[in-house]
Amino acid sequence: MALLKTIKEVGNYFNEIYDGVASLVRGMKVTGGYFIKRGQIVTQKYPENRATLKMFDNFKGELQLIHDENNQHSCNVCNTCARKCPNGSIEVIYKKVEGADGRSKKILDKYIYHLETCSFCGLCVPACDEHALRFDQEFEHAVFDKSKLTKVLNKPGSTCKVVKE
Amino acid sequence: MEETLMDIDLKDKEEYIVNMGPQHPSTHGVLRFETCLQGEKVKYIIPHCGYIHRGIEKMCEKLTYPQLLHLTDRMDYLSAHINNEAVSLCVENAMGIEVSDRVKYIRTIFAELTRIASHQLWWSAFGMDLGALTTFFYGLRDREKILDIFEETTGTRLIQSFITPGGLMADVHPNFQRRIKEFITYFRKKLPEYDQLLTGNIIFRERTKGIGVMSKELAIDYGVTGPSGRGSGFHCDIRKIAPYSAYPFVKFNEIIFPEGDTYARYLVRMKEMWESLNVLEQLVDNIPQGQIMLELKAIKAPKGEYYQRVETARGELGVYIVSDGGPSPARMKFRTPNFSNLFIINKIASGHKIADLVAISGSLDLVIPDIDR
């Protein structure tokens, strides 16, 4: 009986070794298979493919004040986006000018966007009734100086399409 | 004053006190285990948290409900959608409104995708903790497909802020359903590969079986929920106990393993990925038509106290709101799963080798910002 038990134990011992080696071979077969299979490369050569790299349409890059071909935006200084922003990343600075009818109007002076505090929650874009804002496709945000992250979004010399009365 | 191991008079001079973390690669974040070692054996562990405390609960008191959502993303960043959903459901319950079926379905689809993506990353990192670097690349390769689905609809990959009180930020992209179906067929083929690579591996099995055994009683005592609790036979899936969103409409199994060791916790997560694929398959073709965002004049919770719990990829997340009737909460409290799951580690890792401590903390799937908030 004792001999039988010993034989069984020895058998189990070698079985375990066999199972262990077989499991390693099974795993190696998966990794080895990828050396042979073609068309399974999933990596991209990033800085080289900048020209062809395209983000999805909804991608949240940097905030952008939409300007048309006449250098006109549609911000009417209602300040809703700045109030919706949880981090205070948006400052809308206006100036008062005298309109054609002699009454003073608010027009956009500077639309300041703090990229350094923006958390890309996306509350500002749907908040705008004039659809003046959108996120662009820019994703390379790294700069050497923090002050470069504070941006003025309205282009120089731009005017407003709709002026708030 | 906080008690540390330094204060304890060490009678046996053979003992060493070693800090694991806060910058240890296998703590996956800034967590410090103050570990008392006897040779290579762990005698006991005191976890120290607070290295990434940002005061999210206090910050929430200054923000309106739609605004504070983006902070909840940053607690358990691997379950961002589910955290959003928890707060949204709590606010909706408080206001007594109900979203359309379309919103419920889309929320559940996103939650299940998040769960798969989270488990994929956990699988990758767990293999890497135990010395198998290959798993990291394989897991992240497949996770990329889910992140693409997220990015196409929401615009961001990790922290989306997509689910808000009253509905969703936007409708889903036209490619949404096609991409998910493609992903289901793709990932069903890849999951057996995961098993061949790691689950069957003899070194992996030897290192996880019988290590860090947590009994069901211990899991209940410490409030260990999620896959870690279910690996000990603790019936704790909120999706089954208190179904929310579209979970009442779908059929799925709650995965429970009674063994309670590291290998059981591993198997729970692997099986949960299959279940999540089943849930996705049931939902993706049947998304009903409906309103995406309810038209609400103001999002204000009436005066009172509200609680809502959901099942994230790591366990039970509870959101507790005390409202004084204003647009922002008077007090906000999150019962996060990782905080409860962390403190079991002294009980289950004591007596094991220090290399097993890495396996055990990996199997608990800790996300450190969720512990500290």
Side-chain angles (χ1 to χ4, degrees):
Chain A
M1 279 309 281
L3 185 70
L4 267 177
K5 205 182 165 192
T6 321
I7 290 172
K8 210 177 174 187
E9 270 175 9
V10 171
N12 279 347
Y13 176 74
F14 282 108
N15 264 345
E16 270 174 30
I17 291 179
Y18 172 76
D19 281 350
V21 173
S23 78
L24 292 180
V25 170
R26 265 200 303 279
M28 296 294 266
K29 225 165 91 183
V30 175
T31 44
Y34 280 97
F35 278 110
I36 306 160
K37 285 178 203 162
R38 295 205 171 268
Q40 298 238 6
I41 299 163
V42 291
T43 47
Q44 298 177 5
K45 289 185 177 174
Y46 159 55
E48 288 86 359
N49 70 351
R50 268 204 188 114
T52 54
L53 187 62
K54 197 179 173 306
M55 296 287 114
F56 289 111
D57 293 337
N58 287 345
F59 180 74
K60 285 183 199 163
E62 286 173 23
L63 193 65
Q64 197 181 31
L65 194 63
I66 304 167
H67 290 71
D68 63 4
E69 64 277 4
N70 304 324
N71 203 13
Q72 281 187 323
H73 57 77
S74 25
C75 178
N76 62 7
V77 210
C78 67
N79 213 25
T80 310
C81 48
R83 271 187 280 118
K84 287 267 178 182
C85 182
N87 309 313
S89 301
I90 298 171
E91 284 177 63
V92 185
I93 296 170
Y94 62 86
K95 59 185 174 191
K96 281 186 176 171
V97 290
E98 206 158 289
D101 53 353
R103 285 156 67 187
S104 72
K105 296 170 187 168
K106 282 181 189 173
I107 62 158
L108 186 68
D109 185 19
K110 268 181 188 168
Y111 193 98
I112 298 174
Y113 171 51
H114 296 278
L115 183 58
E116 73 269 27
T117 58
C118 178
S119 58
F120 302 97
C121 64
L123 285 172
C124 45
V125 174
C128 186
D129 291 335
E130 307 292 333
H131 306 291
L133 294 167
R134 72 163 171 230
F135 280 107
D136 69 1
Q137 307 280 308
E138 180 62 44
F139 58 89
E140 290 169 325
H141 301 307
V143 286
F144 282 103
D145 189 0
K146 193 183 163 190
S147 63
K148 284 183 184 156
L149 291 171
T150 303
K151 300 183 180 200
V152 179
L153 294 188
N154 52 326
K155 290 179 185 165
S158 61
T159 50
C160 182
K161 265 184 259 181
V162 212
V163 179
K164 199 178 173 184
E165 290 296 316
Chain B
M1 216 183 93
E2 197 182 14
E3 190 193 353
T4 68
L5 282 176
M6 302 288 180
D7 305 331
I8 301 166
D9 184 31
L10 296 175
K11 284 173 192 140
D12 192 351
K13 294 294 173 202
E14 296 288 299
E15 288 172 0
Y16 287 90
I17 289 162
V18 176
N19 279 320
M20 186 171 152
Q23 272 92 25
H24 193 277
S26 69
T27 55
H28 303 280
V30 278
L31 175 69
R32 178 157 71 96
F33 291 130
E34 199 177 331
T35 317
C36 181
L37 295 176
Q38 202 166 30
E40 215 186 335
K41 236 178 182 179
V42 176
K43 223 177 159 198
Y44 40 93
I45 307 160
I46 297 183
H48 290 272
C49 41
Y51 288 93
I52 190 163
H53 176 67
R54 291 151 296 175
I56 284 182
E57 287 174 5
K58 191 71 190 168
M59 281 158 84
C60 286
E61 293 169 15
K62 287 277 163 59
L63 299 173
T64 64
Y65 291 110
Q67 284 178 341
L68 64 84
L69 270 171
H70 86 288
L71 293 174
T72 62
D73 285 350
R74 284 153 176 84
M75 296 193 310
D76 182 354
Y77 48 80
L78 294 175
S79 309
H81 271 303
I82 311 178
N83 294 353
N84 288 168
E85 193 182 1
V87 179
S88 303
L89 284 171
C90 194
V91 175
E92 280 157 15
N93 285 352
M95 293 171 73
I97 52 174
E98 202 180 351
V99 292
S100 67
D101 276 357
R102 183 179 177 80
V103 173
K104 283 182 187 171
Y105 271 63
I106 293 170
R107 280 179 180 183
T108 311
I109 287 172
F110 270 126
E112 289 307 314
L113 283 173
T114 310
R115 198 180 313 281
I116 295 175
S118 168
H119 286 350
Q120 280 169 338
L121 187 73
W122 159 82
W123 181 80
S124 318
F126 188 46
M128 200 174 63
D129 285 347
L130 296 174
L133 189 66
T134 317
T135 62
F136 193 74
F137 300 113
Y138 282 48
L140 258 69
R141 173 197 65 190
D142 301 336
R143 183 168 170 263
E144 200 70 10
K145 306 262 174 198
I146 297 183
L147 295 187
D148 278 349
I149 298 172
F150 286 164
E151 195 180 354
E152 195 168 39
T153 292
T154 68
T156 45
R157 294 159 61 79
L158 189 66
I159 34 181
Q160 292 91 359
S161 310
F162 187 65
I163 297 167
T164 96
L168 306 167
M169 291 291 276
D171 205 347
V172 291
H173 197 270
N175 289 342
F176 184 65
Q177 278 156 302
R178 182 178 58 78
R179 268 178 183 274
I180 288 177
K181 277 184 235 164
E182 278 172 8
F183 172 74
I184 292 172
T185 41
Y186 169 83
F187 196 49
R188 283 226 168 107
K189 279 185 206 140
K190 294 291 174 192
L191 259 172
E193 236 173 52
Y194 284 26
D195 287 339
Q196 285 167 10
L197 259 181
L198 198 62
T199 318
N201 189 296
I202 182 78
I203 304 165
F204 175 77
R205 270 187 284 154
E206 291 290 317
R207 285 199 63 185
T208 50
K209 272 190 181 166
I211 301 294
V213 180
M214 180 187 350
S215 67
K216 187 181 175 183
E217 289 71 32
L218 206 61
I220 293 171
D221 282 354
Y222 277 74
V224 178
T225 50
S228 310
R230 288 196 285 280
S232 303
F234 177 23
H235 166 65
C236 60
D237 197 333
I238 308 298
R239 294 175 292 168
K240 282 279 184 196
I241 300 169
Y244 53 93
S245 289
Y247 288 113
F249 311 133
V250 290
K251 281 189 190 132
F252 66 99
N253 298 323
E254 183 181 357
I255 311 289
I256 290 180
F257 278 83
E259 291 89 356
D261 58 354
T262 302
Y263 192 64
R265 290 193 280 277
Y266 171 86
L267 285 180
V268 169
R269 293 199 177 88
M270 296 305 279
K271 291 270 190 307
E272 264 190 13
M273 284 199 257
W274 286 103
E275 285 303 319
S276 292
L277 286 177
N278 290 342
V279 174
L280 281 178
E281 201 166 42
Q282 289 171 49
L283 291 173
V284 70
D285 277 328
N286 306 320
I287 302 177
Q289 291 301 315
Q291 222 178 353
I292 278 298
M293 186 73 193
L294 295 175
E295 297 198 355
L296 304 165
K297 274 191 180 152
I299 297 177
K300 282 181 185 173
K303 196 174 176 182
E305 298 177 9
Y306 309 95
Y307 187 72
Q308 171 72 39
R309 53 186 185 159
V310 297
E311 179 79 15
T312 74
R314 272 160 206 77
E316 178 183 335
L317 171 72
V319 177
Y320 178 63
I321 295 176
V322 180
S323 175
D324 52 7
S328 38
R331 173 79 171 93
M332 193 101 180
K333 160 80 185 151
F334 298 106
R335 183 260 182 232
T336 53
N338 288 295
F339 187 79
S340 307
N341 292 2
L342 165 70
F343 287 95
I344 194 79
I345 198 152
N346 182 31
K347 286 274 177 190
I348 63 173
S350 303
H352 287 293
K353 298 269 166 60
I354 187 135
D356 295 333
L357 172 61
V358 175
I360 292 166
S361 76
S363 76
L364 291 174
D365 193 11
L366 301 170
V367 166
I368 315 304
D370 197 35
I371 297 170
D372 293 342
R373 306 196 281 287

